[in-house]
Structure formats: C-alpha cells, structure tokens
C-alpha cells in the first residue's frame, strides 16, 4: 500500500516529521517497507529555457542549444527531435546523476562542440518510458526552480506492508485513523453530505445472486466531460505508481486508495436495459479492460446488462462498456461482493487488481453509500454534468456485534497496566462504540464496521496494547522451576533432526515442498480400502482433504503422501539434465480433517543410478533395497527396535508389487519402501525407475524411562568373535528375513549378527525350494567358547530356523 505524505495529511492534522510518522507506523503494525523521496534524487534538476537552437556544424541530427538555467546560460548539444528555441524543459547540470540512465554527467565534447549538461526526457528521470523527446513544460513554468518542486515530486512516498486482516488500512483514511489514535495528530472530519439527484436513474439494478453480492449501489450521470484529470489528482496517482487514464477512471482509482472503497464506472450509452448482478453462465466470456479475454463459469460473479456480462464483480471491468474520452453518460457502481468467491475467481483467472485486493479482504460494509457520495462530488466538480438519484439493491450486511472487555484483562494478557480511561480513549479513537458498562466494570463495546477482524475480548486487548505501544510492555524473564535447565526439545523433536542428519549423510538432499498437491496427483496416493477393515477404521485413513480456498488451482488438496511432491521434483530435475536425484523431506502427510489426521513422515526418493559413474565400479540403477536401507537407517537413528521389525509385502498401490515391502513392529506400520509403480510415474510424467520410502516417525515407540545405574551405549568384549556359516533349504516363497530373525532368536546373548551371503536355486536343490546361506557371528562376553558350546549353539540355530520356516540344514 503506497501513499504520499501530503495525501496522508489530507486526512490527518499533524506536525509530526516524516521520520516520526514512519517510526510510528511500524510500531502500530503497519510495517514500512520503504520511503521514496524523489526530491532528493531529482535535487540537481532545474526548469530551464532554451534561448536558441542551431544546427550542429558536423551532425545533421544534433542541435547546439543555449540554455538559460536561471543563474547562467550554458551551451548544450542535444539530439532530441523536439529541441527548439523557446522550449521550456528540465536541465541536468554537470555532475548530476541521471537515474534513468545510471550515469553521472561530465562536461564533454560532442563532434567537436563543447556540451555542458543535458536536457532530459521522462525516461531519464524515471517518470515514464517516454524517450522520443525531451520534456516540454508549459510556457509559464518558472525558470531556475527545482523541477521536483514544480512537478509535485517533492512529496515523499511511503510504502507499507499490510497483513491480510487490516483491510481498513488499504485506504489512506484508515492509516490516518491509526496514527491519530496513537497521538500523532487529529483525524480530519470527512465530508459526508449527500448529493441530491436531479433525475431518476435510467437503469434499474437486480441482484439474482444475493450470496455473491448482498448490496449494490448505483448512480447515473449525464452530460459529463471525461478529459484529463486535474493536476492534484494526476500527481497523486503518478506518485504511487498508477497511470492516469481519464478523469472518470482516475476518480474511481483515487477513491479506492483514499477510502479503500473500490468503484467502477460504466459508459451508460453502452449498457443495454439495466444492471443485473448474477453468476456467470457456462461458456460465457469477458473481454476485460486489460486487453485479455477470460472464460467464465457459474462460480464467478458478473455484472451484466440485459444482453451480456459487462464486468467481473469486484475484480475487473469489461472493455465493451469501459469509459473513454467520448463518454458523456456514466453509470457508477459501488457494491459489496463475497470475499471468498472474489478470491477464488481472481486466482482461477490469474487477475490481480486493486479492487480484488481490497474486496477479497473485506471492505467496510457501511461505507457503500458514503463512498458513492464522495465519488459523486468529485465527478460533478471535475467532469461537470448532473447526477441521478441513488439506485440501491439489496441491503447492508449485518455487521454490528457487541463484545465485552474487562479492563483488567489488558494487564493480565498484555503485561502492561493501561489506565481504564486510556483504554476507552484508544478504542473510541479507533471507531469502537462503548454502549454500556456492567456492575462489575465490564465494558460492552461495538467494533466499527471497518474492523471485521475484531471478534473477541483478546482482539480488543490487542488493539489497546498496539496503540499504547508494544515497546511499553516490560521485558519479564520467565520463572525458573528448578536450578537445572530442562531440555528444550522433546524426544520426537530430536528425532526429526537426527532423521535429517542421517539421510543427509547417506547422500540425500533435503527438499521443502508444499503441503498441498493437485487432486489428480493426490488420488494416486490414496490406498484402496481394505474390505477386512471396519468402516470407522477405513474413514480414518482414506479421506482426501480438499481445500475450500486453495492458493492455486493445482494445489487444491492436502498431500496424503510426501512422495508425490518429491517424485515431481525429481521429474523437473531430470527435465533439466539432472537424472540422478536423491531427495528427502521430513514433514506432515494428511489423512483426514480430524485432529489426529496427519502423520510426521520422513520420506525420500532415489532416481537414476545408485552410485555415480566410476571406472572401477559397474553402474547400476536404483532398486528397492536402496530404499529399504534408507528406511532402516532412519528407524535405527530414531531409536526404533530394528532387530524386532518384520517385513511384509503388503505395500500400498503406489509401490510396485513384488518390489516393495512394509516394515512392521507387530501390527504397527513403521515404514514402507520399494520401487514406485510405473503407472504412478507415468501419470506424473516422470521416467523411472524411482524408488522411495516413507518412515512414520510418530509410530516409533518412545524409549522407556528406566532407573538404575547408567550403562555405556556400546559394550565391548575382550574376546574374539566367531563366524559360522549355515545353509538351509526352505520353500521358495519363504522370506530371508524369517531365517535371520529365527537365527538371532536362538541365543540372544551370544548371536551378535546374522546376514545372508548366498541364495541358490537349481541343481541338487528340490524344485520349489531354495538354499539360503547365513553367516552367523557369535560374540562371547564372559569367556572363550569351547567346541561343545559352539556346537550346541549351532544346533539351537538349526532348530530355531526349522521351527520358524520348516527348512532343513543343507548337506
């Protein structure tokens, strides 16, 4: 939101300096993004008079000018086609910095003729993109005067950043009100006298969609002259970066920024029959004022006549009924439009406008008529003509609500004791109405119509503290409950950091993606409902969360899995020549809108080659075991009992069947891993293979608190470990994990590690069977094992595997 200092002073009577105003605005929560003082940048430039202009002796397109700067006459070589004797323009002396060209002037010689300074174009002063000639000023422009003062460019421009809840400060009036309440001046009264119409409006207004537009106010004008705006209006708009178009359009833009009251002017001679506020029809289009044609649908609000749509309600007008220099009859609109529908329409069509910015945040519902009256006075004053009676359709929305404020709550919630009288003074200056007081001192307060963000007592407290000054709140240290500091992070929070570090060490790069995705992509990551589950359990896991007001059309649902975003990121990298991608993200995945409907997930993908190309190692593509290793590393780092995990093959449908798995602790799913299904990759437009994993950090059990003497994390043994190999013949469908778990469980005290080093099917192995070879590491801790003890442990391992898998020792 931009405004000039003089514009602010149209509403605020103040002696405060620019620096004081800027400091107070930020303290009020209206953060100042910057202050542009053109007078400093344009200080060297002066109004000058061209006394004479002669042809350059050695260049046909150059002229040698004698320029009167008010203090001296200088010779200037100029190539502008409009340079001539008698012209008044803008002169830049030697040493001046030219902002539009990014140069500092020096005395020079051009084709043998000395030149001192230059005559400037608008582009060279960054006033516009016009550079076909030098600036031409009126004949009465005073020579020698600073150009910034003459052109009204000495007015500082303040740019503030607004939070979405402060729609009232999208107008200069609202900003002035806040400053006045903070004691930086007095708010000037706003002229509110209604203008009496001299004829009945030739147009009626019908609202067919009251939910989309609860109130519409119109007024007709006839006999207007739509010429250039007066200098004061032109300068105000130019200062904040708007391009003046014509008086009628400029007036509506001025009211938009002055009062945060968007308006729209129709050329009445181009409106057929009357005004109808309705929803767009299927297949309808609108050629807008920005030169683009937009397809409309029934979710959008249009302002139509009896033949076609003439404007998008609250967003942009139509080209067909736009005002031009030939306009003599006008119909002016002021209305209230549904905020959500306005935002959705703007996003769907990609239209950014000053009207949409304000109406989607919510404008003052009680200022529709007063805004119309203010615009009426300006039109009659600048454009002449006469105004009709008002045409009002619908009614003002109900905005009055009574809140309570216990004065003691300011100190209780805010930590600073603001006197009761000061509290009421602040709230009254902000527009609140004190309508009563209970016997216990509780105040009953009605917030003003322009503050839709004030809903409860805490909001009133915040307003008092904001105006009183947040810097007045004393810094109070938190009380210590004990002399020892308590951990700042919980176990779950520490797990997130450990997980990220572990995956980074394994060569994956962290990605941060949206928590949203398109509904089409999200459907790929919704598991098929298991017919064995009860309906209540099914609903908990498989409901897609659709957003009511998405930030864009392709981000309309909450992501049910992080993998979808990571896979698409891998595809974008591959399109740019980076096929070997390793990405991970730790964040939420969403199941249902319920409070427990999200999981903290560590997810990652690998695509391309598993290892970088190297002469000493044969390249291979990624496979499911790469993803499993990542998942196991995360689970181990997070403290999961990885030795007790079981592997099952019931991974959901976005994984490749037969090349994926699920890691479980009993019935609890700890992680999923595997190759991504080719259909999913094809739908997302990504070339495979891609493998991925999902670790559910919230499912990992927290460590049990145990008393007693602390023990070292790693217990080293002074005795030599022993390795023994076993080969078992088992069914071809028996998972190797079952053999490993059985062998480990044979003697948990001595069996340190078990790994598979060979799998064989073929000669000497019965059909339907396979041979799985295990390497078992025995680690004694008390004494060296004897041969009979080693043999006994071997027999226990064979018996445990036979019992768990039905296998036998291969001979």
């Amino acid at each position: 939101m931009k405004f000039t200092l003089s514009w602010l002073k149209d509403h605020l009577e103040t002696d405060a300096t620019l620096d004081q105003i800027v400091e107070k605005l930020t303290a009020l929560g209206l953060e100042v993004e910057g202050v542009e003082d053109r007078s400093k940048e344009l200080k060297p430039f002066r109004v000058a008079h061209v006394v004479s202009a002669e042809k350059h002796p050695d260049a046909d397109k150059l002229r040698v000018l004698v320029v009167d700067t008010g203090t001296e006459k200088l010779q200037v070589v100029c190539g502008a086609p409009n340079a001539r004797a008698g012209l008044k323009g803008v002169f830049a002396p030697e040493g001046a910095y030219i902002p539009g060209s990014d140069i500092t002037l020096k005395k020079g010689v051009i084709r043998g003729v000395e030149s001192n300074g230059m005559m400037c174009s608008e582009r060279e002063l960054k006033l516009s993109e016009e550079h076909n000639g030098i600036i031409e000023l009126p004949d009465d422009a005073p020579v020698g005067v600073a150009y910034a003062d003459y052109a009204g460019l000495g007015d500082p421009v303040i740019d503030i950043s607004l939070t979405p809840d402060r729609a009232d400060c999208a107008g200069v009036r609202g900003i002035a009100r806040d400053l006045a309440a903070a004691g930086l001046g007095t708010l000037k009264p706003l002229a509110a006298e209604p203008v009496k119409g001299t004829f009945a409006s030739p147009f009626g207004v019908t609202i067919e969609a009251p939910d989309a537009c609860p109130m519409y106010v119109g007024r007709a004008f006839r006999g207007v002259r739509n010429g250039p705006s007066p200098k004061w209006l032109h300068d105000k708009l130019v200062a904040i970066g708007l391009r003046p178009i014509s008086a009628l359009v400029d007036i509506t833009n001025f009211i938009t920024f002055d009062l945060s009251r968007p308006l729209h002017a129709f050329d009445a001679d181009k409106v057929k029959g009357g005004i109808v506020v309705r929803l767009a029809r299927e297949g309808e289009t609108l050629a807008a004022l920005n030169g683009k044609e937009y397809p409309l649908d029934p979710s959008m609000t249009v302002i139509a006549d009896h033949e076609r749509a003439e404007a998008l309600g609250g967003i942009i007008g139509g080209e067909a009924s736009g005002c031009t220099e030939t306009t003599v009859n006008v119909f002016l609109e002021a209305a209230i439009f549904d905020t959500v529908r306005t935002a959705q329409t703007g996003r769907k069509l990609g239209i950014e406008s000053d009207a949409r910015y304000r109406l989607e945040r919510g404008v003052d519902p009680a200022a529709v008529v007063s805004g119309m009256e203010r615009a009426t006075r300006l039109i009659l004053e600048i454009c002449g003509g006469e105004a009709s009676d008002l045409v009002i359709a619908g009614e003002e929305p109900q905005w009055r609500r009574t809140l309570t404020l216990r004065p003691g709550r300011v100190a209780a919630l805010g930590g600073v004791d603001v006197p009761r009288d000061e509290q009421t003074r602040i709230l009254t200056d902000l527009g609140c109405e004190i309508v009563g007081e209970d016997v216990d001192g509780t105040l009953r307060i009605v917030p003003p119509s322009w503050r839709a963000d004030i809903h409860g007592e805490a909001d009133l407290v915040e307003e008092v503290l904001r105006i009183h000054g947040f810097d007045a709140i004393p810094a109070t240290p938190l009380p210590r409950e004990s002399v020892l500091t308590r951990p700042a992070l919980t176990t779950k929070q520490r797990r997130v950091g450990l997980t990220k570090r572990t995956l980074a060490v394994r060569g994956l790069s962290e990605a941060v993606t949206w928590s949203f995705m398109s509904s089409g992509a999200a459907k790929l990551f919704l598991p098929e409902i298991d017919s064995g589950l009860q309906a209540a359990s099914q609903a908990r896991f498989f409901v897609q969360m659709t957003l009511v007001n998405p930030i864009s059309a392709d981000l309309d649902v909450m992501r049910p899995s992080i993998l979808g975003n990571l896979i698409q990121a891998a595809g974008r990298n591959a399109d740019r020549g980076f096929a070997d991608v390793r990405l991970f993200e730790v964040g939420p995945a969403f199941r249902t809108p319920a409070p427990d409907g999200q999981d903290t997930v560590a997810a990652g993908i690998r695509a391309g080659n598993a290892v970088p190309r190297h002469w000493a190692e044969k390249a291979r593509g990624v496979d499911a075991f790469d993803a499993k290793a990542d998942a196991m590393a995360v689970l181990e780092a997070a403290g999961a009992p990885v030795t007790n995990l079981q592997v099952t093959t019931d991974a959901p449908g976005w994984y490749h069947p037969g090349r994926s798995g699920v890691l479980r602790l009993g019935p609890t799913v700890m992680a999923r891993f595997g190759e991504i299904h080719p259909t999913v990759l094809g739908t997302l437009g990504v070339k495979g293979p891609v493998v991925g994993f999902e670790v559910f950090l919230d499912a990992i059990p927290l460590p049990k608190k145990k008393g007693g003497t602390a023990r070292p994390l790693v217990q080293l043994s002074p005795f030599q470990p022993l390795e023994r190999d076993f080969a078992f013949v088992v069914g071809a469908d028996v998972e190797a994990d079952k053999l490993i778990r059985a062998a480990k469980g044979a003697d948990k005290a001595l069996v340190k590690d078990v790994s598979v080093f060979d799998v064989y099917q073929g000669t000497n192995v019965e059909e339907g069977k396979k041979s799985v070879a295990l390497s078992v590491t025995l680690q004694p801790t008390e004494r060296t094992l004897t041969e009979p003890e080693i043999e006994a442990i071997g027999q226990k391992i064979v018996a445990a595997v036979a019992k768990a898998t039905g296998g036998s020792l291969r001979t």
Side-chain angles (χ1 to χ4, degrees):
M1 171 64 189
K2 290 185 177 181
F3 58 95
T4 64
L5 181 61
S6 65
W7 197 341
L8 177 68
K9 290 184 176 181
D10 288 343
H11 293 277
L12 183 70
E13 188 71 47
T14 182
D15 295 326
T17 65
L18 175 63
D19 290 341
Q20 289 174 324
I21 291 173
V22 168
E23 182 179 357
K24 182 59 70 175
L25 284 170
T26 299
L28 290 170
L30 306 175
E31 185 176 357
V32 176
E33 294 284 334
V35 178
E36 182 183 14
D37 191 350
R38 297 298 306 277
S39 63
K40 293 181 180 179
E41 187 177 53
L42 301 179
K43 185 177 181 180
F45 300 87
R46 293 284 185 271
V47 176
H49 177 239
V50 179
V51 178
S52 65
E54 304 293 337
K55 182 180 177 297
H56 192 288
D58 196 25
D60 292 338
K61 294 185 178 181
L62 299 179
R63 293 180 180 274
V64 180
L65 312 180
V66 176
V67 178
D68 181 4
T69 67
T71 57
E72 57 183 330
K73 293 182 179 179
L74 298 172
Q75 180 174 281
V76 176
V77 177
C78 180
N82 62 333
R84 64 185 185 277
L87 179 145
K88 287 188 176 180
V90 181
F91 174 75
E94 176 190 351
Y97 173 74
I98 311 300
S101 304
D102 193 25
I103 60 172
T104 299
L105 286 182
K106 297 180 180 178
K107 182 184 293 187
V109 176
I110 302 176
R111 303 289 290 268
V113 177
E114 183 180 280
S115 182
N116 302 277
M118 68 181 292
M119 299 296 288
C120 302
S121 68
E122 290 188 2
R123 188 168 75 174
E124 287 161 339
L125 299 188
K126 293 177 70 173
L127 300 178
S128 74
E129 291 301 313
E130 178 60 45
H131 64 287
N132 291 326
I134 58 178
I135 297 172
E136 294 191 36
L137 300 178
D139 293 338
D140 59 354
V143 176
V145 170
Y147 175 68
D149 294 338
Y150 171 77
L153 299 175
D155 196 5
V157 178
I158 304 170
D159 184 8
I160 65 172
S161 176
L162 290 181
T163 52
D165 59 329
R166 292 306 307 275
D168 59 307
C169 287
V172 180
R173 180 76 179 176
I175 298 167
R177 185 185 296 110
D178 264 21
L179 289 170
L184 221 61
T186 304
L187 189 66
K188 295 180 180 179
L190 192 64
E193 299 82 9
V195 176
K196 184 176 178 59
T198 59
F199 64 97
S201 171
F203 299 115
V205 176
T206 303
I207 299 178
E208 294 183 357
D211 291 340
C213 177
M215 184 179 185
Y216 189 103
V217 176
R219 170 168 259 163
F221 297 81
R222 63 189 182 191
V224 301
R225 298 179 301 278
N226 190 25
S229 297
K231 187 175 185 303
W232 69 267
L233 179 54
H234 176 279
D235 291 346
K236 273 182 166 54
L237 299 182
V238 169
I240 63 173
L242 294 183
R243 180 174 62 90
I245 298 173
S246 65
L248 288 171
V249 176
D250 293 350
I251 288 169
T252 62
N253 287 335
F254 171 74
I255 297 296
T256 297
F257 280 84
D258 191 55
L259 303 178
S260 189
R261 174 63 263 170
L263 305 168
H264 181 65
F266 299 89
D267 188 323
D269 293 331
K270 300 174 183 177
V271 176
K272 307 300 181 183
I275 297 294
V276 181
V277 184
R278 58 172 172 82
L279 299 182
R281 301 185 179 114
E282 199 67 54
E284 199 167 16
T285 61
L286 175 72
L289 287 170
N290 60 5
K292 299 179 180 180
E293 185 167 343
Y294 295 97
L296 309 181
D297 63 53
S299 69
M300 303 174 183
T301 308
V302 297
I303 312 302
D305 58 16
H306 289 178
E307 293 184 1
R308 63 190 176 191
E310 297 289 356
L312 265 173
I315 298 178
I316 196 168
E319 190 174 41
S321 58
C323 293
T324 66
E325 293 180 355
T326 61
T327 298
V328 293
N329 299 312
V330 179
F331 188 79
L332 188 65
E333 162 195 295
I336 299 173
F337 296 100
D338 176 63
T339 57
V340 173
R341 193 182 296 269
T342 301
Q344 289 177 333
T345 300
R347 288 175 182 167
K348 186 177 294 186
L349 298 178
I351 302 175
E352 300 284 349
S353 68
D354 295 322
R356 174 197 160 187
Y357 179 86
R358 288 156 178 81
L359 287 162
E360 71 182 2
R361 284 162 172 78
V363 296
D364 184 357
V368 185
V369 173
S370 61
M372 173 66 75
E373 297 289 3
R374 170 93 160 134
T376 298
R377 287 191 293 272
L378 287 175
I379 290 174
L380 296 179
E381 175 186 331
I382 296 172
C383 303
E386 54 182 327
S388 76
D389 297 328
L390 290 178
V391 179
I392 301 177
E395 59 183 3
E396 181 180 306
Q398 179 56 248
W399 56 266
R400 292 183 66 87
R401 57 197 178 280
T402 302
L403 309 178
T404 59
L405 173 64
R406 293 163 288 175
R409 295 295 287 168
V410 173
L413 295 178
V416 60
D417 188 12
V418 181
R420 178 191 180 90
D421 291 345
E422 177 66 2
Q423 294 183 37
T424 57
R425 198 267 318 160
I426 289 173
L427 293 174
T428 301
D429 286 353
L430 289 175
C432 294
E433 182 183 356
I434 313 296
V435 296
E437 180 178 348
D438 297 338
V439 292
D440 61 354
T442 299
L443 300 174
R444 295 195 299 278
I445 298 171
V446 176
S449 57
W450 55 83
R451 292 301 301 273
D453 58 309
I454 299 178
H455 298 286
E457 185 179 47
D459 296 325
L460 295 171
V461 169
E462 181 184 5
E463 290 303 300
V464 171
L465 294 173
R466 184 174 67 87
I467 301 299
H468 183 70
F470 289 129
D471 54 354
I473 300 175
T476 305
L478 295 173
R480 284 197 171 205
E481 297 180 359
S482 68
V483 295
L484 297 176
T485 58
R486 299 172 63 181
L489 299 177
T490 66
T491 301
K492 287 186 176 182
Q493 290 171 327
R494 287 198 297 272
R495 278 178 176 169
V496 171
L498 287 171
T499 296
K500 292 182 178 181
R501 186 180 305 171
T502 299
L503 292 172
V505 168
R506 293 184 58 80
L508 281 77
S509 299
E510 183 176 8
V512 179
T513 67
W514 291 106
S515 291
F516 324 116
M517 63 195 315
S518 69
S519 55
K523 290 177 182 177
L524 301 172
F525 297 92
L526 293 177
E528 294 293 333
I529 296 178
D530 186 348
S531 58
L533 291 176
Q534 294 183 355
S537 299
Q538 295 173 16
R540 181 173 183 268
F541 288 96
F542 309 134
V543 176
Q544 184 170 285
M545 294 174 61
T546 302
L547 300 174
V548 175
N549 191 18
I551 61 174
S552 70
D554 58 347
L555 296 173
D556 57 339
V557 299
M558 304 300 290
R559 63 185 183 192
S561 172
I562 301 175
L563 288 180
N565 289 344
L566 295 180
I567 293 169
Q568 292 179 83
R572 290 191 293 271
N573 277 272
D575 292 342
R576 289 159 177 78
F578 300 96
D580 297 342
V581 179
R582 301 165 183 84
L583 300 175
F584 79 89
E585 181 175 358
V586 181
F590 301 87
R591 290 182 274 106
T592 71
D596 65 340
Q598 71 179 54
D599 301 302
T600 303
V601 179
I605 62 161
R606 290 177 182 264
N609 290 320
V611 293
R613 294 174 61 186
H614 193 272
W615 63 270
E617 188 173 356
K618 185 178 180 181
R620 69 170 179 85
V622 293
D623 59 30
F625 293 103
D626 295 315
K628 180 184 179 183
D630 291 330
M632 291 294 289
V634 170
L635 289 168
E636 186 173 7
V642 291
T643 57
N644 299 330
L645 296 180
Q646 296 174 303
V647 180
T648 59
T649 58
D650 55 342
W654 55 91
Y655 290 102
H656 194 302
R659 301 180 189 176
S660 58
V662 177
L663 294 169
R664 297 176 181 271
L665 184 63
T668 304
V669 174
M670 309 292 285
R672 301 188 287 239
F673 67 89
E675 186 176 323
I676 305 301
H677 200 289
T679 302
V680 173
L681 296 179
T683 304
L684 297 178
V686 179
K687 186 178 179 180
V690 176
V691 299
F693 65 89
E694 299 164 282
V695 178
F696 301 95
L697 298 180
D698 294 335
I700 301 174
L702 295 174
K704 297 179 180 179
K705 296 181 179 180
K706 296 181 179 179
T709 306
R711 292 172 293 178
L713 295 176
V714 178
Q715 198 166 13
L716 300 178
S717 173
F719 303 101
Q720 183 74 16
L722 306 173
E723 289 189 8
R724 291 291 184 269
D725 296 340
F726 300 84
F728 294 96
V729 177
V730 296
D733 59 344
V734 175
E735 296 135 350
D737 182 64
K738 287 188 177 181
L739 282 78
I740 294 174
R741 292 169 60 84
K744 283 184 177 180
D747 192 323
K748 294 182 179 180
L750 289 176
V751 177
K752 181 67 174 178
D753 187 38
V754 180
S755 61
V756 177
F757 68 87
D758 185 52
V759 178
Y760 173 74
Q761 286 180 286
T763 306
N764 298 327
V765 175
E766 184 182 344
E767 187 176 352
K769 302 281 187 178
K770 64 182 176 182
S771 172
V772 180
L774 303 180
S775 175
V776 180
T777 301
L778 304 178
Q779 178 62 69
T781 57
E782 297 179 355
R783 57 184 173 80
T784 302
L785 298 176
T786 64
E787 280 298 329
E789 289 173 330
I790 296 172
E791 183 66 26
I793 295 172
Q795 292 176 1
K796 290 171 65 176
I797 292 173
V798 172
V801 171
K803 181 179 179 181
T805 66
S808 60
L809 192 65
R810 183 179 175 186
T811 58

